Amino acid sequence: MKKLEEAIELRKEGKLKESNEILINLAKDYPDNSVVNYQCAWSFDVLGLEKEAVPYYEKAISIGLSEKDLQGAFLGLGSTYRTLGQYQKSKEVFEKGLNKFTEDRAMKVFYAMTLYNLNEHSKAMEILLTNLAQTSSDKNIKTYKRAIEFYSDRLDEIW
């Protein structure tokens, strides 16, 4: 779809409002196109209009997306709910997303942010510490990787 490609290119060029306008019109013309809905949601997100993004994310997910787009839509919707203060909805979206995309580290980190907002600090820290230990290239983190992983879910224990 030529207009969709044009809108994506405009977003890449930083022409966010123009891209968003095209995508809104495409969503009106093709309401059952999951990719159009996903891209429209994304276009609202990058404009800082998270509330407007939600129905487009929800629709795109419910219609069905490719694996890559579905992964991005779960992360986008979960993060959007979090920024709107809808922490329980955010948690539910991230848990659905992580059930399907178990190795998505970015989604895990955003999920940890939501857990923090829900005062689930221990679980949030466990996720962050585990991901840090498993992905860091810092030589000092690597030196203590086993210890960081060991303590990640034992932060409240006293020895």
Side-chain angles (χ1 to χ4, degrees):
M1 185 180 304
K2 186 143 177 63
K3 277 288 191 191
L4 179 59
E5 291 171 17
E6 180 186 337
I8 293 169
E9 191 57 39
L10 285 169
R11 181 175 59 225
K12 289 177 184 174
E13 294 170 3
K15 298 175 181 170
L16 305 179
K17 189 71 178 143
E18 296 94 320
S19 173
N20 176 255
E21 289 168 5
I22 292 170
L23 289 162
I24 290 169
N25 288 324
L26 284 174
K28 286 177 188 168
D29 293 342
Y30 303 96
D32 296 326
N33 184 308
S34 61
V35 175
V36 167
N37 278 280
Y38 171 53
Q39 292 294 332
C40 191
W42 186 347
S43 76
F44 278 115
D45 256 354
V46 297
L47 286 169
L49 301 171
E50 286 83 0
K51 189 184 263 186
E52 287 85 346
V54 169
Y56 293 99
Y57 276 129
E58 289 176 339
K59 191 167 192 180
I61 290 169
S62 71
I63 294 170
L65 291 161
S66 69
E67 291 288 299
K68 182 179 181 233
D69 284 349
L70 182 60
Q71 195 169 358
F74 274 125
L75 196 148
L77 180 58
S79 178
T80 295
Y81 276 139
R82 191 190 75 76
T83 62
L84 293 172
Q86 297 179 32
Y87 305 129
Q88 194 56 46
K89 281 186 176 182
S90 175
K91 181 179 180 180
E92 291 165 13
V93 168
F94 281 132
E95 288 175 348
K96 282 181 193 172
L98 287 167
N99 279 333
K100 185 154 183 63
F101 304 103
T102 57
E103 300 305 311
D104 186 329
R105 292 193 186 276
M107 196 178 305
K108 288 177 183 180
V109 170
F110 280 89
Y111 176 56
M113 291 182 219
T114 294
L115 294 176
Y116 169 86
N117 292 124
L118 288 168
N119 293 317
E120 295 181 36
H121 302 122
S122 294
K123 185 67 178 169
M125 283 296 293
E126 177 186 347
I127 291 167
L128 292 175
L129 288 171
T130 299
N131 278 282
L132 175 67
Q134 293 175 353
T135 62
S136 180
S137 60
D138 181 272
K139 70 177 186 155
N140 290 327
I141 298 290
K142 284 180 170 182
T143 299
Y144 295 101
K145 176 184 180 192
R146 287 184 55 184
I148 293 168
E149 288 178 324
F150 177 79
Y151 290 118
S152 69
D153 63 348
R154 295 173 175 89
L155 293 173
D156 295 319
E157 289 184 26
I158 298 172
W159 305 94

